[in-house]
Amino acid sequence: MSTDSTGLVTPSLTLPLKMNDSEGVNIGQVEAFKLFAAITANDDTGIIIDNVLPGDEIIIYDASGISSFRMTDMKKVKAVVGIANALATKALVFATDGAALPFTKAWNSALDKIGDAVDDGKIKHSRRDAYGRDPGSGDYAKNEGGLIVCMPKARGAVYATNDYHLKGDTKNKGRKTKYYPSKAEKNNVWYPCNVEGGRMSGVAQEA
């Protein structure tokens, strides 16, 4: 899948330290970013966000969608990410809906391309939502499925090897931190989970 021609939505993103608003005026050092991302099941690297610094906090506010791990005959569909807004010391990057329109158009176009590549009607088996849960059975996957956030300490994407399989009663209780494998804890890798005892954020320990 190709990204949009504007460069606003891409598979990888380097967070700028300073930004201009939609009028081209410098609004100072960025304090927080709001990112939109679409992650596909057959992209083996997912999205890449560079320039995450020690002490930066990554928060998953919302995640939706269903993936399948049996549709292996599909061509690769790249994951994409873009800056939906940013808060700097002086102002927001997009202060109005009109200012955000170019990003909104680029984002919707990227989602349309992903939607065209994936036939939702075929997703019937090995389904997982963003939190690793099968929407049919209600079970959580211990060995695959769902979003995984790899902080800078991980030095790249991790895969569903034994070292990163969840433990305990993940299947029934969810991807809670008490079920994390030791290697995930060591490398600051976390599994978004929206139930009590789960994690929806993480802090970078190094760049």
Side-chain angles (χ1 to χ4, degrees):
M1 189 195 90
S2 60
T3 56
D4 75 291
S5 59
T6 66
L8 296 173
V9 180
T10 59
S12 61
L13 173 68
T14 298
L15 299 175
L17 296 180
K18 294 183 179 180
M19 291 189 71
N20 295 337
D21 66 12
S22 57
E23 302 297 325
V25 177
N26 186 282
I27 55 174
Q29 185 170 338
V30 177
E31 297 180 347
F33 291 97
K34 179 181 180 180
L35 305 180
F36 285 1
I39 315 296
T40 58
N42 72 346
D43 183 345
D44 56 3
T45 55
I47 61 168
I48 299 171
I49 303 172
D50 287 325
N51 218 15
V52 175
L53 303 177
D56 287 352
E57 184 177 16
I58 306 295
I59 303 172
I60 306 294
Y61 281 103
D62 186 42
S64 62
I66 302 295
S67 63
S68 171
F69 294 87
R70 287 193 180 176
M71 296 176 65
T72 56
D73 58 338
M74 287 180 58
K75 292 182 179 179
K76 180 180 287 189
V77 182
K78 290 296 294 178
V80 292
V81 61
I83 299 175
N85 214 334
L87 173 65
T89 50
K90 299 178 183 178
L92 289 169
V93 171
F94 303 133
T96 66
D97 290 341
L101 189 59
F103 170 80
T104 302
K105 287 183 175 180
W107 177 252
N108 288 338
S109 175
L111 290 188
D112 287 343
K113 290 178 181 179
I114 292 175
D116 290 342
V118 181
D119 181 355
D120 289 343
K122 293 181 180 179
I123 302 178
K124 300 181 183 299
H125 304 287
S126 297
R127 298 178 300 166
R128 303 287 185 267
D129 66 12
Y131 307 110
R133 185 172 182 268
D134 185 317
S137 67
D139 294 341
Y140 290 88
K142 297 177 69 172
N143 302 344
E144 82 291 315
L147 294 177
I148 300 177
V149 181
C150 303
M151 303 297 274
K153 191 175 182 180
R155 295 291 181 258
V158 302
Y159 301 95
T161 63
N162 289 335
D163 288 338
Y164 287 101
H165 288 173
L166 290 153
K167 304 178 294 184
D169 196 18
T170 300
K171 177 179 178 180
N172 297 302
K173 302 296 185 180
R175 305 191 305 174
K176 299 185 178 186
T177 56
K178 66 181 180 180
Y179 301 139
Y180 279 19
S182 59
K183 193 162 185 178
E185 295 178 336
K186 177 182 177 181
N187 291 329
N188 203 8
V189 170
W190 49 283
Y191 308 76
C193 177
N194 60 348
V195 302
E196 185 178 355
R199 260 179 94 175
M200 292 293 282
S201 67
V203 176
Q205 299 169 355
E206 55 186 72

